[in-house]
Amino acid sequence: MTGRLGEDRDLDYGRQAAERCGLMLVAQIKKTLGGDLGRVERVVKLGVFVNSAADFTDQPKVANGASELMQALFGEAGRHARSAVGVPALPLGAAVEVDAVVAIRS
């Protein structure tokens, strides 16, 4: 999902992009853990980067797309700290990029 929020993309598009980024993170976590998402102890932190116009200020609302997904999938363990920042560009024109710190059980 590409584009710049507040320029050629709207808030709803950004929330969807953040949710899809969250789904990709979960897929990577699952693969790394050999398919056992039960080993996720806690989603510690999400960092959400929003490709946004200078006057777009709803980055936290965009980030809710990923945050709400983590809570829906992991329950209390999905509650996390979060940063949401606007940036002037992301690689390949992506609308949103999300990184995560996740604690896992051995």
Side-chain angles (χ1 to χ4, degrees), residues 24-86:
M24 287 187 278
L25 285 169
V26 171
Q28 292 172 1
I29 294 164
K30 185 175 181 179
K31 182 176 180 179
T32 299
L33 298 177
D36 185 6
L37 287 175
R39 290 181 53 203
V40 172
E41 186 174 316
R42 174 163 294 290
V43 177
V44 178
K45 182 179 187 293
L46 295 181
V48 181
F49 303 89
V50 181
N51 183 354
S52 50
D55 61 346
F56 184 83
T57 59
D58 284 333
Q59 289 84 359
K61 292 178 183 175
V62 170
N64 286 344
S67 290
E68 291 169 4
L69 174 71
M70 294 303 167
Q71 290 178 303
L73 293 177
F74 297 108
E76 187 61 29
R79 294 178 58 87
H80 53 271
R82 181 183 80 191
S83 60
V85 296

